[in-house]
Amino acid sequence: MAKSKLYQISKSSLHGKGVFARSDIPKDTKIIEYVGERITKKESQRRAEAQLNSNNGRKSKGQVYIFEINKRYDIDGNIPQNKARRINHSCAPNCVSFIEKGKVWIYSLKKIREDDELTYDYGFSLDTYEEHPCACGSKKCLGYIVRKEDRPKLKRLLEKKKKKAKKEKKAKKEKKEKKEKKEKKKAKKAKQTN
Ligand SMILES: [Zn+2]
C-alpha cells in the first residue's frame, strides 16, 4: 500500500495506536477513506450477534468498526487494510466522517497541525455508553463515547446516578451506625447482667 502524505499511524496517548497528521492539513480536507467489507444489514446483525455470543453477552469493541452506509448496507471496517479504523474517538474531534456515494470518508473539521492526532466522533448511541468509556481528555468529555446529540441526556443520567450512589452510601453508613449502636447497647446489657 502506498504511503499517504497526509497521515501516519503511531502510538496514541488516547488509546492504542492512532492516526496522526504528517503535515499541516487545511480545514475540509478529504483525508482518508474508511474502507471495509460492504455487508447487508442482516449480515451486520449476524456479526454483531456472533460477537455478543463469543463474548458471553458482553459487547466487544469489534462492533465499533461497523459503519452504517444506508438503510440496506453497512461497512465492516475490521480489516487490516483499513487504516482509518485506527482513528480514535474524541468528544472534541478535529475530523468528521461523511458518507459519499456509498463510501465513508474522513474529513478535517478544522485546520490540523502536523503531528496532531486525528479524531472523530464515533457517534455511539446512549444505550451502550457503559461499554465505551472515553478518556479523550477534552473539556466536553463525560467519560463515555456517546454521540453529541445524546450527551446532554447522558450528563443528566450520570448526575442522577451520582446522586443515587451518594444517597445509597449515606443509607449504608446510617445502617452501619445503627447496627454498631445496637451492638454496643447489647454489650452493655450483657455486662450488667454478668
Ligand atoms: Zn471523551
Side-chain angles (χ1 to χ4, degrees):
M1 205 174 204
K3 265 195 174 174
S4 163
K5 280 180 205 150
L6 286 177
Y7 63 87
Q8 60 188 2
I9 314 284
S10 192
K11 204 176 160 351
S12 165
S13 58
L14 294 179
H15 176 82
K17 279 182 179 172
V19 180
F20 293 80
R22 256 187 140 171
S23 54
D24 287 354
I25 300 173
K27 191 181 167 185
D28 297 325
T29 304
K30 206 175 199 174
I31 301 174
I32 179 172
E33 186 188 346
Y34 189 98
V35 292
E37 199 186 339
R38 194 183 165 94
I39 53 175
T40 59
K41 288 273 171 208
K42 207 174 162 189
E43 172 60 11
S44 184
Q45 191 79 29
R46 193 197 65 76
R47 286 183 190 187
E49 267 160 32
Q51 213 134 43
L52 263 174
N53 293 336
S54 67
N55 286 294
N56 289 326
R58 273 197 59 80
K59 286 177 187 168
S60 89
K61 60 180 187 182
Q63 275 172 281
V64 309
Y65 297 121
I66 291 185
F67 239 101
E68 183 171 340
I69 295 297
N70 55 36
K71 277 182 191 156
R72 286 173 62 198
Y73 292 102
D74 284 344
I75 277 188
D76 185 353
N78 196 13
I79 54 169
Q81 301 95 291
N82 182 25
K83 304 286 183 238
R85 80 191 202 286
R86 297 274 190 208
I87 300 177
N88 281 308
H89 161 92
S90 172
C91 300
N94 53 16
C95 293
V96 65
S97 64
F98 263 124
I99 303 185
E100 267 176 29
K101 293 176 190 153
K103 288 185 173 185
V104 185
W105 286 95
I106 309 295
Y107 275 84
S108 53
L109 262 179
K110 51 174 108 173
K111 189 186 169 184
I112 301 171
R113 302 217 170 267
E114 185 181 339
D115 292 331
D116 274 359
E117 179 164 4
L118 308 184
T119 54
Y120 68 93
D121 184 353
Y122 282 6
F124 292 161
S125 83
L126 191 60
D127 347 320
T128 54
Y129 81 92
E130 281 173 306
E131 285 140 31
H132 305 292
C134 184
C136 75
S138 88
K139 276 184 207 158
K140 292 176 186 169
C141 188
L142 296 172
Y144 296 97
I145 301 178
V146 166
R147 61 174 160 239
K148 206 175 166 189
E149 307 91 271
D150 283 348
R151 267 177 231 154
K153 230 177 179 174
L154 175 65
K155 200 173 172 190
R156 287 196 295 273
L157 198 94
L158 291 174
E159 274 163 8
K160 227 172 156 182
K161 230 175 149 179
K162 215 170 145 188
K163 253 188 206 160
K164 203 180 157 198
K166 216 172 157 187
K167 222 172 156 185
E168 272 169 7
K169 206 177 158 191
K170 202 180 158 198
K172 215 173 161 185
K173 202 180 155 199
E174 279 172 359
K175 205 176 163 190
K176 202 183 154 197
E177 280 171 357
K178 219 172 166 184
K179 201 180 160 194
E180 277 171 1
K181 227 177 173 178
K182 212 173 164 187
E183 266 163 16
K184 245 187 201 163
K185 223 176 173 181
K186 221 171 155 187
K188 210 175 165 190
K189 221 177 178 181
K191 221 178 174 182
Q192 279 171 351
T193 44
N194 274 344

